[in-house]
Amino acid sequence: MEKLYNSRMWLIVFASMVFRPSLYAQPFQQPMQVPQLIDAATVNLTMDVEYHNFSGITGDSLNVNIKTFAYNSPQALGTNTYLGPTLRWLEGRHQTINITNNLPGSDTSTVHWHGAHIPAWTDGGPHQKINPQGGTFSPDFEVLDSACTLWYHPHGLDETYVQVQMGLAGTIVVNEASDALGALLPHTYGQDDFPIIIQDIFFQRSTINPDSFSIDTGKVGLGRRVIVNGNIRPYLDVPPQNVRFRILNGSTRLPYPLWIGPNKNQHLPFKLTGSDGGYLPDSARTVTTILTAPGTRNEIVFDFSAYAGQTLYMTTVSGESAQDSLILQFRVGALPTAPLGIVPATFPAHDVYPYGAFTKTRTKKLLGNSANGPHPGLFNINNLQFVPETINDTINLGDTEVWTIENRTNKPHPFHIHDIQFYVIDVKDTNGVTQPMPVEYLGRKDDIWILPGDVVRFVTKFDDFGSPMPFEVATETYMYHCHILPHEDGMYAASNVHAGMMLQFAVWDGTVRIDDAQEIGEGMQLYPNPAHDVLHLRGESRIPSELRIYDIQGRMLHKEALSAFNGDVPIPVADLAVGMILVEWSSAKGTFTRKIVLR
């Protein structure tokens, strides 16, 4: 059953890829780059312009230095020219990351910690901008995630696709001190535990100099190559023993089915041990192929012990020729290296959120294509465009929620949500038929591949990081979006809108924010409470002011400017829905907010 669903998934995946003639069929000539590991409570990163040789292959016209971006760190042993170092986080450790943006011109950026459970102001979404030419951002937080693989990348508005293509990405390995399973699995970084970052990069030949290339960040679809850790067709020396691979699909838009064998036609079995949020529940799963979607992570263990002295390959369907689908070569050594990791028969069980006792359900519809929607050419969620000042969902702190994601487009989309991990409840196809659960959907997830017509339900809990109302949008909101980066950025829009397939939410802690330093609030009253048709503001203000009314989701319902007044100001509320509202009155001297019930 699982195989049937995966076959259905891959047929759609292949149909969505753009097949082109192979550009080259070179041998594997350069070693795979293993990003340097930084294990420190304080990490310093700098975004820089660099030059990188993606090929290094004799006879390949791409065997030249090409302009890139990279995350560099004085704590690493050398300088990165593409991608960034691997960061090790320890559960319970207070982590500080100092980031400097040394990109030129107007290249504003952000750094988002994809999959991490951290406060909104540290999340690195579109609101946490880092200005170019020396701007800084220093998030600090306690690491609350379990043992897993996360990653980091830019998340600026309309900038994510370009900057990830140029090289701004890196992996994060989260460890737990009490992780007995992690101590048994292969875990020596760079020896039997490797990050594998797979990307699709578009290269464009100069019209002036045929020997000059650049990364094509504007026109999607020209000169595409698949790279692994920043290299085209690299090789990796591995010992003849169990080896763990932390696979990240860091591509801007394509999924990749992956398998390992002595050639492109053979699929050898391996163990899938983890997904986005950590270990699979109960046990590893033996598979011969996995599908990794944009933004997702899969941890696998392959046993090379029977292949000493041999050569194996990681293979994918890359949209190029069959030979070019071999993307990584494994050269298996003669002798194993201690310690020898194993894959235990049983894994710890997961305490899945009780979705039968949820607090609220939400439905998100993935909509749009080249001809319809609020903006032609723009995919969207619930027919809404992203507005930075608008909070689309308000969630109560501590609530368990069930989200239903409906893909009503003709394209697959990876749906990603910030702040939390979730468990998939079920997947139904366009006819409402429940599908077998793919192994890639097991365990904790934050990013899930949804086929056209499918409906996915997941359950999650919002345990931490609540904020009072009204929310400070710039520091108290999280995103959810499609992780096909041109969709997130809105690059396919025919109209010039600052929006894509992305919305935002905030978590409410149940309190109301009141300015403690506002003497002007003394003697100011709102009455009656509860109110029906008219609410009254009584007091005196010798300067102009403004009154706003919000619902408990943070949506603005009413706004009016007030001249100086002394006495009563009537506020009509008859047209507002019954329930609780938040009334905010502000002037140049201060602000106060009150809860009012409408009946």
Side-chain angles (χ1 to χ4, degrees):
M1 296 295 288
E2 168 193 306
K3 184 176 181 180
L4 289 175
Y5 184 79
N6 284 345
S7 297
R8 168 176 168 263
M9 179 183 289
W10 295 336
L11 284 173
I12 297 176
V13 167
F14 301 159
S16 70
M17 290 180 170
V18 179
F19 285 78
R20 294 182 177 80
S22 172
L23 296 178
Y24 308 98
Q26 298 93 346
F28 294 80
Q29 290 187 351
Q30 63 175 339
M32 185 190 82
Q33 301 299 308
V34 179
Q36 295 156 347
L37 180 69
I38 298 179
D39 183 351
T42 300
V43 175
N44 301 309
L45 293 175
T46 300
M47 302 175 185
D48 292 306
V49 173
E50 298 290 349
Y51 289 85
H52 179 72
N53 189 325
F54 289 87
S55 174
I57 299 173
T58 302
D60 187 350
S61 59
L62 279 175
N63 188 7
V64 293
N65 287 331
I66 295 174
K67 180 181 177 181
T68 63
F69 294 161
Y71 294 110
N72 293 312
S73 173
Q75 294 158 287
L77 298 177
T79 299
N80 300 293
T81 59
Y82 190 80
L83 303 176
T86 296
L87 308 181
R88 189 192 300 279
W89 291 358
L90 302 180
E91 185 206 17
R93 184 168 73 184
H94 194 87
Q95 189 71 50
T96 301
I97 306 171
N98 301 311
I99 305 146
T100 301
N101 180 0
N102 279 347
L103 299 180
S106 59
D107 284 328
T108 300
S109 191
T110 72
V111 180
H112 168 54
W113 316 102
H114 182 124
H117 182 47
I118 54 179
W121 77 268
T122 68
D123 186 57
H127 300 297
Q128 285 89 52
K129 297 178 181 179
I130 314 174
N131 291 326
Q133 304 181 61
T136 61
F137 177 49
S138 295
D140 63 275
F141 47 84
E142 180 184 356
V143 178
L144 300 178
D145 296 285
S146 303
C148 63
T149 303
L150 310 176
W151 67 302
Y152 59 101
H153 62 80
H155 208 303
L157 194 59
D158 301 330
E159 298 169 339
T160 308
Y161 168 78
V162 168
Q163 294 185 357
V164 172
Q165 277 267 107
M166 290 295 292
L168 293 181
T171 54
I172 302 167
V173 174
V174 181
N175 290 147
E176 297 178 72
S178 59
D179 180 14
L181 179 57
L184 296 174
L185 291 167
H187 59 271
T188 305
Y189 185 84
Q191 175 179 298
D192 61 2
D193 186 351
F194 297 93
I196 304 292
I197 306 170
I198 302 173
Q199 297 171 284
D200 54 279
I201 302 296
F202 296 89
F203 295 98
Q204 185 169 0
R205 188 189 297 268
S206 170
T207 57
I208 300 174
N209 180 0
D211 295 326
S212 177
F213 288 83
S214 62
I215 295 177
D216 183 359
T217 58
K219 298 177 181 178
V220 178
L222 299 177
R224 174 176 160 272
R225 305 291 290 273
V226 177
I227 66 172
V228 178
N229 289 18
N231 299 134
I232 297 170
R233 296 169 65 84
Y235 68 85
L236 177 65
D237 292 316
V238 294
Q241 62 195 61
N242 279 314
V243 177
R244 182 182 194 174
F245 299 112
R246 301 172 184 268
I247 300 172
L248 160 66
N249 183 335
S251 71
T252 59
R253 66 187 188 97
L254 290 184
Y256 288 103
L258 300 172
W259 62 95
I260 296 174
N263 56 60
K264 66 183 180 63
N265 296 317
Q266 293 192 44
H267 298 58
L268 298 176
F270 56 89
K271 302 288 187 180
L272 177 65
T273 60
S275 54
D276 294 337
Y279 304 125
L280 297 188
D282 305 318
S283 68
R285 273 51 170 196
T286 300
V287 295
T288 57
T289 309
I290 59 169
L291 179 71
T292 177
T296 61
R297 289 84 64 209
N298 291 284
E299 296 187 19
I300 70 171
V301 174
F302 188 91
D303 186 359
F304 289 97
S305 60
Y307 304 97
Q310 299 184 39
T311 299
L312 299 180
Y313 298 89
M314 179 174 285
T315 307
T316 190
V317 175
S318 65
E320 299 176 358
S321 72
Q323 185 169 7
D324 279 345
S325 64
L326 302 172
I327 60 172
L328 175 60
Q329 183 185 72
F330 300 110
R331 300 179 180 180
V332 188
L335 297 174
T337 304
L340 298 180
I342 64 170
V343 181
T346 59
F347 283 17
H350 283 205
D351 185 14
V352 180
Y353 307 120
Y355 57 85
F358 60 84
T359 308
K360 188 176 179 63
T361 61
R362 299 176 193 269
T363 298
K364 306 300 173 187
K365 296 182 179 181
L366 312 182
L367 304 168
N369 55 36
S370 60
N372 60 32
H375 302 284
L378 178 64
F379 289 104
N380 66 83
I381 301 175
N382 286 4
N383 270 332
L384 299 172
Q385 71 178 71
F386 178 72
V387 179
E389 297 79 22
T390 298
I391 296 171
N392 303 100
D393 297 87
T394 296
I395 296 163
N396 293 323
L397 181 63
D399 276 4
T400 298
E401 295 198 351
V402 171
W403 287 42
T404 301
I405 316 299
E406 302 179 6
N407 185 354
R408 300 308 182 197
T409 78
N410 61 352
K411 301 287 186 182
H413 297 279
F415 181 88
H416 170 54
I417 186 169
H418 294 203
D419 176 39
I420 50 88
Q421 299 282 335
F422 57 79
Y423 289 96
V424 178
I425 300 171
D426 52 34
V427 181
K428 295 184 179 180
D429 68 11
T430 187
N431 297 315
V433 178
T434 300
Q435 300 297 301
M437 188 75 74
V439 291
E440 297 92 347
Y441 291 10
L442 300 176
R444 290 182 294 270
K445 296 284 294 174
D446 57 63
D447 193 310
I448 186 165
W449 183 247
I450 307 177
L451 300 181
D454 277 8
V455 177
V456 172
R457 290 193 306 155
F458 65 73
V459 60
T460 188
K461 189 173 184 181
F462 297 85
D463 282 325
D464 302 292
F465 312 127
S467 302
M469 281 192 183
F471 299 114
E472 298 290 340
V473 176
T475 57
E476 296 173 350
T477 57
Y478 298 96
M479 308 296 125
Y480 57 89
H481 58 88
C482 173
H483 217 281
I484 293 176
L485 301 186
H487 296 180
E488 173 189 331
D489 281 346
M491 287 181 64
Y492 293 155
S495 56
N496 183 23
V497 293
H498 268 311
M501 207 171 183
M502 178 169 66
L503 299 174
Q504 61 187 339
F505 69 93
V507 180
W508 185 33
D509 66 7
T511 66
V512 176
R513 178 177 279 116
I514 298 175
D515 187 350
D516 294 329
Q518 44 152 353
E519 290 79 3
I520 61 169
E522 185 176 352
M524 197 71 69
Q525 295 179 336
L526 278 169
Y527 72 93
N529 189 11
H532 182 53
D533 294 326
V534 179
L535 183 66
H536 295 269
L537 175 67
R538 174 180 290 176
E540 179 182 7
S541 176
R542 299 182 180 181
I543 59 176
S545 58
E546 187 172 76
L547 185 134
R548 299 184 183 91
I549 297 177
Y550 300 88
D551 64 13
I552 61 171
Q553 280 75 42
R555 294 184 291 250
M556 187 183 298
L557 306 176
H558 176 77
K559 179 175 73 172
E560 64 177 284
L562 303 177
S563 302
F565 64 90
N566 184 6
D568 270 23
V569 177
I571 306 162
V573 293
D575 292 337
L576 301 183
V578 172
M580 183 179 293
I581 60 172
L582 300 175
V583 181
E584 178 185 88
W585 178 80
S586 63
S587 72
K589 294 184 177 180
T591 302
F592 76 84
T593 305
R594 293 291 186 268
K595 294 179 183 178
I596 297 292
V597 176
L598 300 182
R599 64 180 183 183

